[in-house]
């Protein structure tokens, strides 16, 4: 297999996450965040099941691996989203996006601590440059008091977003042994199905299914796009994690806020600013540097 295929797969996921952010803006006002997440991953899992059947890949895991794989799914899709949504209720969205962009940095640290990766100068500088690119793309929104619901409640909201990023980083590293042991699609489908049960519980305070029939046609189209793309690209994400180091895969999540800005300009007629374009350039420089041959450890 050519070495650039996992890189292209990870990049496609970063772009999909950004597109899903834009689609979420269409429908988030019509549904609670936990209910929307439950629909997202239920649809995603249902999209993977026919592919499993067609490829004759049953979800058969060793008994000792069932709970860990389910737990990783619940943490990545349930706990992570709960923490992120809680943080977004307390701090501006732009600041949350920048903090969540620490995902690859935390992944690199966790992987190094667990002995899964070696810290290198190129990789470290590349990760920091992607965070700088996100910061430039967000620009003045980072400091705009009107860009979030409650800018004064900083520490708790920031801690929640950072903890959400840490949950994702830990899962990205811990998935690797199971991805070496089992095919990608069964793990993805089972992890998503496990998270749906957890998200059902989180949906109860939102009225569960009470308001689902209030979706507009455009809202349902957005939900279907988010769910189908999440299922398919999550399988792509796991495949990339199977064939490349966690840091080199997760660093492409830095593309998501920049992609959201570009799609927002195209689809929602949001302004396309110079800082956004400058941030994209710096981000791409960071990605290039992080994927250069590693020679010296730092």
């Amino acid at each position: 297999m050519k070495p650039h295929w996992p890189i292209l797969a990870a990049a496609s996921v970063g772009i999909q996450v950004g597109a899903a952010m834009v689609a979420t803006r269409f429908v988030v006002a019509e549904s609670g965040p936990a209910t929307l997440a439950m629909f997202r991953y239920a649809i995603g899992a249902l999209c993977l099941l026919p592919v499993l059947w067609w490829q004759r890949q049953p979800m058969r895991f060793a008994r000792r691996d069932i709970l860990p794989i389910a737990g990783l799914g619940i943490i990545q899709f349930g706990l992570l989203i709960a923490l992120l949504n809680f943080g977004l209720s307390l701090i501006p969205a732009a600041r949350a996006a920048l903090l969540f962009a620490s995902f690859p940095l935390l992944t690199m640290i966790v992987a190094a601590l667990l002995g899964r990766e070696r810290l290198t100068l190129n990789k470290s500088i590349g990760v920091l440059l992607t965070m700088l690119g996100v910061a430039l793309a967000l620009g003045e929104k980072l400091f705009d008091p009107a860009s979030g619901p409650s800018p004064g409640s900083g520490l708790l909201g920031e801690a929640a977003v950072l903890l959400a990023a840490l949950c994702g980083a830990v899962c990205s590293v811990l998935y690797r042994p199971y991805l070496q042991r089992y095919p990608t699609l069964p793990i993805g489908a089972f992890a998503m199905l496990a998270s749906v049960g957890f998200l059902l519980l989180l949906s109860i305070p939102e009225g569960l299914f009470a308001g689902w029939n209030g979706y507009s046609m455009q809202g349902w189209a957005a939900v279907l796009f988010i769910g189908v793309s999440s299922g398919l690209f999550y399988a792509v994400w796991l495949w990339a994690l199977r064939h490349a180091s966690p840091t080199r895969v997760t660093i492409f999540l830095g593309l998501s806020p920049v992609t959201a800005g570009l799609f927002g300009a195209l689809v929602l007629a949001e302004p396309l600013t110079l800082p956004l374009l400058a941030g994209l350039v710096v981000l791409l420089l960071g990605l290039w540097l992080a994927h250069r041959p590693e020679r010296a450890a730092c």
Side-chain angles (χ1 to χ4, degrees):
M1 181 180 57
K2 295 182 179 180
H4 64 269
W5 283 116
I7 294 173
L8 293 175
S12 71
V13 174
I15 293 171
Q16 180 271 333
V17 171
M21 287 180 183
V22 177
T24 300
R25 296 178 196 172
F26 279 108
V27 71
V28 71
E30 303 178 25
S31 171
T35 304
L36 179 58
M38 181 195 63
F39 278 128
R40 175 179 186 164
Y41 296 121
I43 293 171
L46 289 175
C47 288
L48 293 180
L49 292 178
V51 182
L52 284 174
W53 178 83
W54 180 67
Q55 294 188 350
R56 302 292 192 270
Q57 292 184 358
M59 288 192 291
R60 294 176 183 170
F61 307 110
R63 188 173 299 177
R64 68 179 184 277
D65 294 333
I66 293 176
L67 286 179
I69 294 173
L72 288 172
I74 290 171
I75 292 171
Q76 183 162 13
F77 301 119
L79 184 59
L80 186 155
I81 286 180
L83 288 168
L84 187 58
N85 289 341
F86 177 71
L88 285 168
S89 70
L90 298 176
I91 63 174
R95 195 189 312 167
L98 178 60
L99 290 170
F100 197 72
S102 64
F103 196 133
L105 177 63
L106 294 172
T107 301
M108 183 173 64
I109 294 171
V110 170
L113 290 175
L114 295 179
R116 304 286 176 86
E117 281 191 52
R118 182 171 61 93
L119 287 176
T120 64
L121 184 60
N122 282 349
K123 192 186 296 182
S124 301
I125 295 176
V127 168
L128 294 175
L129 278 176
T130 60
M131 291 185 64
L132 176 60
V134 172
L136 285 173
L138 296 174
E140 68 278 0
K141 293 181 182 178
L142 286 172
F143 309 101
D144 183 7
S147 64
S150 181
S153 35
L155 287 178
L156 186 58
E158 290 163 0
V161 174
L162 284 173
L163 189 55
L166 180 61
C167 286
V170 170
C171 288
S172 297
V173 175
L174 295 184
Y175 265 126
R176 193 77 183 273
Y178 304 106
L179 292 170
Q180 300 296 329
R181 203 173 301 162
Y182 305 108
T184 300
L185 286 176
I187 292 180
F190 182 66
M192 276 194 173
L193 286 172
S195 72
V196 170
F198 181 78
L199 289 166
L200 272 169
L201 297 177
L202 295 183
S203 302
I204 292 175
E206 298 176 358
L208 202 55
F209 296 109
W212 72 273
N213 56 352
Y215 283 138
S216 64
M217 290 295 293
Q218 293 162 327
W220 273 118
V223 169
L224 289 173
F225 168 76
I226 295 167
V228 172
S229 65
S230 294
L232 297 179
F233 279 90
Y234 181 58
V236 173
W237 169 262
L238 291 179
W239 183 86
L241 283 173
R242 181 175 185 171
H243 295 284
S245 69
T247 300
R248 285 186 164 177
V249 173
T250 58
I251 194 174
F252 283 94
L253 287 179
L255 287 171
S256 57
V258 179
T259 302
L262 294 173
F263 274 103
L266 293 173
V267 179
L268 302 178
E270 296 177 347
L272 187 62
T273 63
L274 185 60
L276 176 63
L277 297 176
L280 177 60
V281 172
V282 174
L283 189 148
L284 292 175
L285 176 62
L287 293 175
W288 172 77
L289 188 59
H291 288 84
R292 289 188 65 193
E294 300 174 356
R295 295 178 181 177
C298 63

